[in-house]
Each structure stands twice: as C-alpha cells, then as structure tokens.
Amino acid sequence: MAVTINTLREFKQKGEAFAALTSYDATFSQVVSEAGVHVILIGDSLGMVLQGHDSTLPVTMDQMVYHVSCVAKGNRGSLIMADMPFMSYGTVESALENAAELMRAGAHMVKLEGTDWMKETITALTERAVPVCAHLGLTPQFVNKFGGYKVQGRDEKAAEMMIEHACELEAAGADAILLECVPAPLAARIAQAVKAPVIGIGAGPDTDGQILVLHDMLGITTGRKPRFVKNFLAETDSVQEALQAYVKAVGERTFPAEEHTFKA
C-alpha cells in the first residue's frame, strides 16, 4: 500500500516513528522503498553528494525535476518529497510554477526552507493541491546568512520563536515539519505543539519521523561526518540489510541515540 500524508498522520497519532531517506535515482529509490522506508526525499543535497558543490545553492529546478522523475520511476510505494531549490519560491508565483513542475515529475509533496515569511506561499500551494513540508532549524539554503552549518534554537528566545514559527506554518497549511540540527528537547516541544508529523535530522529521538542522507547512513560520506549520522552498513552485510536496519532502528526508537543528538 502506498504511503500518503494520511499514513504519516496515523503514525503520529499512534506514537509510532516512520523512516525517511534521501534518494536521487531509480535504482536506489526502488531498493529504499522495498526496504520499507516510508518517505523518499529528493533533496537539493544532491548538489553536495552528487555534484560535489560545497553547498546546495547551485542546484537548479531542471536538475531537481530530472532527479524527481528518476526516483518516481523506481519508487515502490514510498511518499516522494522534493526539495524546492534555492530561490525557486522567492515569490508566490514562482513557487506555484516550480512546485507544479516537481509534482508533474512525480513528487507527492514539496519542501521549503524558511520561517514565517513562507505563510502566504504555503497557503497558496496547499489551496492548489500541493502538500508542503516546512523546513525549520538549520536550513542549508541559508548557510551564508548563518555563517556556516550551525545548530539552531539553542537559546530560549530562539527556541520559542521556532515553536511559534512551526505553529504558524502549520496554520498556514503545512502538512509536515522538518527540523534539522536543533536541540532534542526543542524538537520534542515542537512535535507536541503541532498536529502535523514532524521529521527530524539531528533533532533527537522524539520527533515523529527520522531522515538521513542516503550516502551518510551507508558510510560513504566524504569529509567530516555530522554528529547525527550513523553508518548502518558497518553492522550489516549488504545495502539492503543496512536500509532494513535503519527502518527497524527508527521504528524502535533506538536511533537516534544520545550520541547523535544535540543539547540546548
């Protein structure tokens, strides 16, 4: 049975965790979906892991549409989420046009990075049948504003603001929230504050779902390994077994463990 946004809502209502991973091609999307991964994200992270850039900013809409179409061909029932790349949603009009391209290519949901300034855009998208995931915390497209890849929401003022933004974006129509690199206690507060499923990466064990970059969880990351990453291939004998182990660990809430989380 295909995973839908209703499936993710049911996971949250039951207190069960769901697993998400990035994928960028047909072969891996088939293997990932057959392993039981509930959500496949075609992330603009492809700019770093596939193209070799030092950020996600150079990724274009044409490239995202191409990779979404590849993933859709291999998918076997996972919900497909697609990143909207840098400046592809700078205006409501451009967001509508570009989201339509991703949905036509095979996406079931689009993901946008930002805070309360996205409310109008999210409402416009959801009113026109485009499900939206709002990405808060460390938003990689803002790396030049942040001055690097840094944990967000560590002080109480910033934490309260992030909770407020999550609630506002849900009220605007966001169907899911993704939290990246935020302290685990803050992520837990946000997951409790909203009805929408909350997906975490470097956000502790108490979110409704977990996501990793495929290359990271297979242990083929180049450069410095982020704190929140675990190499699941190191403890298994095949890629398929590593994927299944990841899904199992997320479902049992044994991943992420304390060593993978950030504190306030």
Side-chain angles (χ1 to χ4, degrees), residues 7-91:
T7 310
L8 305 186
R9 293 185 184 118
E10 290 170 4
F11 270 103
K12 184 180 180 87
Q13 291 167 1
K14 295 177 181 178
E16 300 174 358
F18 59 88
L21 277 174
T22 63
S23 183
Y24 315 100
D25 61 57
T27 300
F28 262 116
S29 68
Q30 180 171 339
V31 175
V32 165
S33 56
E34 289 179 344
V37 172
H38 304 95
V39 179
I40 293 176
L41 169 66
I42 302 91
D44 56 4
S45 52
L46 67 88
M48 302 174 79
V49 299
L50 298 188
Q51 298 174 342
H53 297 298
D54 62 0
S55 77
T56 64
L57 273 60
V59 177
T60 67
M61 267 302 302
D62 286 345
Q63 291 167 349
M64 289 301 305
V65 169
Y66 169 77
H67 285 281
V68 170
S69 67
C70 291
V71 167
K73 290 180 176 68
N75 182 39
R76 297 295 184 268
S78 300
L79 184 148
I80 296 176
M81 183 191 300
D83 270 343
M84 297 194 67
F86 181 65
M87 288 302 291
S88 65
Y89 50 101
T91 66

